[in-house]
Amino acid sequence: MRSPRIPGPAGAGSVLAVALVSLHAALALHQARVQATTYDEPYYAPAGWALLAGGQSRLNPEHPPAVKLWLGAAWLGAGLPPPQAIPGFAAADPWAFGPRLLYADPARAPDLLLRARASVVLLSVLLAVGVLLVARRAFGEAAGLLALALYALDPLVVANAGLATLDLGATAAVFAAVSLSWLALDTGRPLHLLMAAAAAGLALGAKGTGIVVLPVLALLALAPAARRGGAAPGELRRRALGALGIAFGGAGVLSIVCLPDGPAAWWRALELQRRHAASGHASWVVGIQSMRCLPWYFPFAWLVKTPIALLLATAGGVARVATRLRRSPEVGVAVLAVPALLLAAAPSLGICNGVRQLLPATPFLAVAGGGALAALARRPAGRIVAVGLVAWLAAALLLVHPDAITYANEAAGGPTRTWRLLTDANVDWGQSLPQLAGVLREVPVKRLWLDYFGTAWPPAHGLERYRKIQDWRFRAGAVLDAPRLDGPDPAGRELLAVSATCLVDAYVAETDLHAWLRARTPWRWAGNSIAVFDITDDAGAHRMLARMAERMHDPLTAAEAWARVLELEKGP
């Protein structure tokens, strides 16, 4: 078993580590600056800020508060109005409160969003350093640097590191809890036990998936029993007592994080998530729509959304760790238990709306992959292969930037084809409004019809003149007024912009609602997630648009589209 001492970086390795972390942070921050608010973002930071600024704990109760408090803290001192002055606060209505707080001053909304997102980038930087240290402890110096590269250059990680959501924060907390518990149970030192307990409490308080820490803690305590030759005398008892101490300490930290309601807030969040899963949540994959999570959804999504170089490295890492379980069972549990448990439990969550649900597996798999590449690099030919895989991974990320959300690997057809295989947070989470605004600046526009999946307010993200198509079933995104303005050029193009999630009819029972558009070739794509169709002087397209709007219970759009049909059929 390796010494628990973690050596410090030195020489060229330090320079490369700093460069990788800096590149990771720069890409995540740039993405954070240029993308619009994604679907969930108006609810998390506002809920955390309201709790810190006004003591309101009833907003967004379906998730524990730890990450929300971190996000909300980024807005303290920003000069926001008191939470009681924002519509939706008194009724604890996050659908109204969050968007109205974020867009109370539309000009400031992008800066507020960036503040919250930057706090997540900071967590990702800390997690990157953690991956480096844990991989070095498990597999040596070279493995640490290579694991850092696998984490820092993973498009899934970068995509979530630039968003003010819960997933990256929960991932950081779970990784810290498991890694520190591994260290603490090996050393038995009080300081390590206290650190592990604090991390475990934060992991539980971050998101429902944080509960994975508890079974992993038990496995870490029992791991020496699987060691070749068995555990040392008294070792299992000492580790079991340490694990109990971490668990009880974590419960105490969780109680503090959940104030003023205490553990009841955590239990309520788990119960609401359980009810959500039991009631079903629409998912869409390769044209199959389901209210239940298909058992192959997450493996398929992982294979599509993970770069091939990273798949190869992590597969090698998993195999290497698995074959050494009898020699180092503690390492095996620390590295593989979370990915295995998440993959096994994911379908039972009932919510298959994005591979981000498996994000907590990424740092552990990066550690495993770093170990495999380090072993490979011991030979000159293997060193070339290892460097080549890292370079391939870097190229995959840089080519898709700043649209890492939409990434799919070459075998799946690349980012421009992701929408044909997956939807929602896998490709279209409402982030591409600024890219759409950029497309519109390139051509004269007479009218833009916008069929948008998201909660961002378009005028705050560069899109001020449009006519929104609103499906009656979606309250999210319909809270703020949408201007119905034509473009600046009466002789310009008539365009219809449709979010990919809408285009495939992922969330509606009528799976043929947008079929007429799927039969057409988009004129352009914005950010790989919004299809733009040119329907200039096309009476047939406007007729289909009017009928679609009627089925969506949007009489205003239907009436305006029918009026355009009459104009075109009447002629000049």
Side-chain angles (χ1 to χ4, degrees), residues 45 48 62 70 74 87 91 135 151 159 190 231 236 358 382 385 430 460 472 510 512 523 539:
E62 59 267 32
W70 176 260
Y151 173 83
L236 291 180
L358 299 181
V385 173
W472 68 280
E510 307 96 319
D512 65 334
W523 168 66

Side-chain angles (χ1 to χ4, degrees), residues 74 127 218 331 342 349 392 428 434 528:
L127 179 51
V331 174
L342 285 177
L349 298 175
W392 188 6
D428 168 34
N528 299 325

Side-chain angles (χ1 to χ4, degrees), residues 159-186:
N160 286 276
L163 299 178
T165 56
L166 307 183
D167 300 293
L168 197 286
T171 299
V174 168
F175 186 78
V178 172
S179 302
L180 289 170
S181 295
W182 172 34
L183 177 67
L185 295 182
D186 277 1

Side-chain angles (χ1 to χ4, degrees), residues 116-151:
R117 287 174 168 179
S119 72
V120 179
V121 175
L122 175 58
L123 290 179
S124 192
V125 166
L126 295 174
L127 179 51
V129 175
V131 168
L132 168 69
L133 297 177
V134 171
R136 289 171 64 190
R137 178 173 185 241
F139 305 115
E141 297 284 341
L145 190 60
L146 289 164
L148 171 62
L150 296 181
Y151 173 83

Side-chain angles (χ1 to χ4, degrees), residues 57-427:
S57 62
R58 293 181 297 138
L59 291 163
N60 191 245
E62 59 267 32
H63 293 292
V67 180
K68 290 183 289 186
L69 290 171
W70 176 260
L71 297 173
W75 288 3
L76 294 176
L80 295 172
Q84 294 82 358
I86 304 298
F89 179 83
D93 181 357
W95 303 100
F97 178 82
R100 292 192 182 280
L101 173 64
L102 177 59
Y103 294 109
D105 181 353
R108 292 190 58 196
D111 287 336
L112 278 176
L113 190 62
L114 183 61
R115 286 174 70 142
R117 287 174 168 179
S119 72
V120 179
V121 175
L122 175 58
L123 290 179
S124 192
V125 166
L126 295 174
L127 179 51
V129 175
V131 168
L132 168 69
L133 297 177
V134 171
R136 289 171 64 190
R137 178 173 185 241
F139 305 115
E141 297 284 341
L145 190 60
L146 289 164
L148 171 62
L150 296 181
Y151 173 83
L153 301 175
D154 184 347
L156 177 62
V157 171
V158 174
N160 286 276
L163 299 178
T165 56
L166 307 183
D167 300 293
L168 197 286
T171 299
V174 168
F175 186 78
V178 172
S179 302
L180 289 170
S181 295
W182 172 34
L183 177 67
L185 295 182
D186 277 1
T187 66
R189 295 176 183 172
L191 177 60
H192 293 162
L193 291 167
L194 287 172
M195 293 168 61
L202 291 175
L204 291 169
K207 197 178 179 184
T209 48
I211 202 169
V212 73
V213 167
L214 297 180
V216 175
L217 184 58
L219 291 172
L220 282 171
L222 298 173
R227 188 188 305 143
R228 187 178 294 119
E235 185 179 10
L236 291 180
R237 181 177 179 276
R238 177 183 63 78
R239 293 175 71 93
L241 290 174
L244 285 173
I246 292 171
F248 280 108
V253 171
L254 175 64
S255 299
I256 295 171
V257 168
C258 290
L259 289 174
D261 294 342
W266 178 76
W267 185 257
R268 181 171 64 246
L270 292 186
E271 177 61 17
L272 289 172
Q273 285 293 306
R274 186 196 65 78
R275 292 179 187 176
H276 187 168
S279 64
H281 186 96
S283 67
W284 187 97
V285 55
V286 291
I288 301 172
Q289 187 192 71
S290 174
M291 289 300 293
R292 298 295 173 187
C293 192
L294 298 172
W296 50 271
Y297 176 92
F298 284 108
F300 176 80
W302 188 266
L303 290 174
V304 167
K305 296 284 294 175
T306 304
I308 295 174
L310 188 55
L311 286 173
L312 293 173
T314 54
V318 169
R320 183 170 185 266
V321 174
T323 58
R324 288 163 171 76
L325 279 176
R326 294 297 305 278
R327 185 189 310 172
S328 304
E330 301 93 338
V331 174
V333 171
V335 174
L336 298 185
V338 167
L341 289 171
L342 285 177
L343 187 60
S348 65
L349 298 175
I351 304 174
C352 291
N353 62 349
V355 74
R356 63 189 176 88
Q357 305 287 359
L358 299 181
L359 190 67
T362 56
F364 296 99
L365 292 175
V367 169
L373 293 184
L376 185 66
R378 289 172 186 160
R379 298 182 178 182
R383 191 172 301 121
I384 294 173
V385 173
V387 172
L389 288 174
V390 172
W392 188 6
L393 177 59
L397 174 61
L398 294 174
L399 288 173
V400 76
H401 183 75
D403 301 310
I405 291 176
T406 70
Y407 179 80
N409 60 40
E410 296 88 343
T416 62
R417 306 281 294 179
T418 314
W419 71 276
R420 295 182 179 275
L421 304 174
L422 297 161
T423 189
D424 203 290
N426 292 306
V427 58

Side-chain angles (χ1 to χ4, degrees), residues 427-514:
V427 58
D428 168 34
W429 221 9
Q431 75 276 4
S432 296
L433 288 177
Q435 288 94 324
L436 176 60
V439 169
L440 299 183
R441 286 193 292 268
E442 298 175 5
V443 295
V445 177
K446 174 180 180 178
R447 177 173 292 179
L448 172 70
W449 302 96
L450 181 62
D451 191 359
Y452 172 61
F453 174 77
T455 55
W457 195 49
H461 300 283
L463 204 65
E464 298 177 352
R465 308 178 72 88
Y466 62 96
R467 293 176 182 264
K468 188 176 183 183
I469 306 167
Q470 183 64 53
D471 193 310
W472 68 280
R473 287 161 286 208
F474 299 108
R475 182 186 177 199
V479 174
L480 302 174
D481 294 334
R484 302 193 73 84
L485 299 174
D486 283 340
D489 191 339
R493 296 175 185 260
E494 297 172 279
L495 301 175
L496 171 57
V498 186
S499 293
T501 302
C502 300
L503 185 60
V504 300
D505 293 316
Y507 277 109
V508 295
E510 307 96 319
T511 56
D512 65 334
L513 194 61
H514 291 80

